[in-house]
Amino acid sequence: MTTRLFSLFSWLPLTYVLCFTLHSAAENTALPTLETQRARFQAAYSAIQADRLNSVPHHTRSELASYPLYPYLEQAYLRDALSDSRKLDANTLAELDNAIDQFLNRFNDSPASDKLRLAWAKSLADRQQIAQLKTLTNPTQDISVDCLILTAQLTGPLTDAQLPLVEKARTRILTGQNLPDECQALVDLISPAMGDEYATRRFALALDAGNEALATRLITKLPPAQQTEARTI
């Protein structure tokens, strides 16, 4: 087990799987002071912002595992690894997915998880990992993550059990605000069955929200009889 983990993390950022492996050994060593951890955290975080993740030694990462802000470093390491996912073989990618899943399970409600959750949802969608994407939770109700999950859940033949998901999807796309790019697939999936309702309701919502740019873009999607009138509003 330990050999497998170290083969993965010879290039992959430290994860909690590795932290757990190192935990028993760490108990027998002197823990760094809070001041030392703070200084190391600041140095590591600066490296992250400068896109120099590889400059942070693995032993420094393990020493920071008990630091209160450590999850923010961990999610940055995992997001960096995920950004190179197209270069990974299937086994290594599966281990990365597992590491991210463990992190999100442990820090599901933490703000530190937000960026990683979205990055992973996009990656799973790109890789057509529908089954895993369906199980992803979204405690912050991030609309981008919601759209990706709903698209996965509603792909394929619909059943009566999925009707609440359809209604949730309708609520998500019927808005007077601009939708993120991650919602376009959901719009393409749901709006055809809504007929003219999608454009007419969203056009009205955009006007109510004062979103003239969106309302203007939606005019061409309105029924022909309404387009002329809409251009005079």
Side-chain angles (χ1 to χ4, degrees):
M1 175 67 176
T2 302
T3 301
R4 184 182 181 191
L5 285 172
F6 274 100
S7 67
L8 170 61
F9 292 108
S10 60
W11 63 267
L12 183 65
L14 181 68
T15 72
Y16 286 92
V17 179
L18 182 56
C19 287
F20 295 150
T21 304
L22 295 174
H23 180 69
S24 59
E27 288 181 336
N28 298 320
T29 62
L31 293 176
T33 65
L34 183 61
E35 291 75 13
T36 299
Q37 285 186 313
R38 183 181 297 111
R40 290 173 181 172
F41 172 85
Q42 291 172 343
Y45 201 76
S46 296
I48 291 172
Q49 293 179 315
D51 198 23
R52 293 185 288 104
L53 286 175
N54 291 335
S55 69
V56 182
H58 282 279
H59 68 81
T60 299
R61 300 171 193 171
S62 64
E63 291 166 355
L64 288 172
S66 62
Y67 187 66
L69 296 180
Y70 178 76
Y72 288 90
L73 294 181
E74 178 68 4
Q75 64 85 22
Y77 298 146
L78 292 170
R79 281 196 297 123
D80 182 71
L82 198 59
S83 68
D84 290 329
S85 61
R86 295 181 184 277
K87 303 176 184 178
L88 307 181
D89 61 64
N91 289 336
T92 305
L93 188 54
E95 290 185 339
L96 174 58
D97 285 337
N98 184 59
I100 294 173
D101 187 44
Q102 291 191 35
F103 177 92
L104 293 178
N105 284 336
R106 184 175 182 183
F107 296 104
N108 196 39
D109 296 325
S110 169
S113 298
D114 294 347
K115 290 182 179 180
L116 178 59
R117 184 181 294 106
L118 175 56
W120 194 36
K122 292 170 68 173
S123 177
L124 292 173
D126 289 343
R127 291 184 276 133
Q128 293 296 299
Q129 298 297 310
I130 303 303
Q132 191 156 24
L133 183 55
K134 285 180 179 180
T135 65
L136 186 62
T137 59
N138 185 25
T140 61
Q141 297 301 303
D142 181 293
I143 187 171
S144 296
V145 176
D146 242 11
C147 284
L148 291 168
I149 295 173
L150 284 167
T151 301
Q153 292 173 328
L154 294 173
T155 298
L158 296 180
T159 65
D160 289 344
Q162 291 173 298
L163 292 179
L165 294 175
V166 173
E167 187 57 35
K168 183 177 180 180
R170 284 167 52 90
T171 300
R172 271 306 191 195
I173 66 175
L174 286 175
T175 173
Q177 304 302 323
N178 297 324
L179 288 169
D181 292 341
E182 291 80 13
C183 291
Q184 188 56 52
L186 185 63
V187 171
D188 294 340
L189 185 65
I190 295 297
S191 60
M194 297 173 65
D196 293 337
E197 180 191 9
Y198 170 73
T200 54
R201 287 192 59 187
R202 199 167 178 212
F203 176 76
L205 289 168
L207 290 179
D208 289 343
N211 192 343
E212 295 182 8
L214 175 60
T216 299
R217 292 198 302 272
L218 287 168
I219 287 177
T220 58
K221 300 182 181 297
L222 293 172
Q226 298 180 24
Q227 290 184 22
T228 300
E229 181 181 357
R231 289 189 174 92
T232 65
I233 297 176

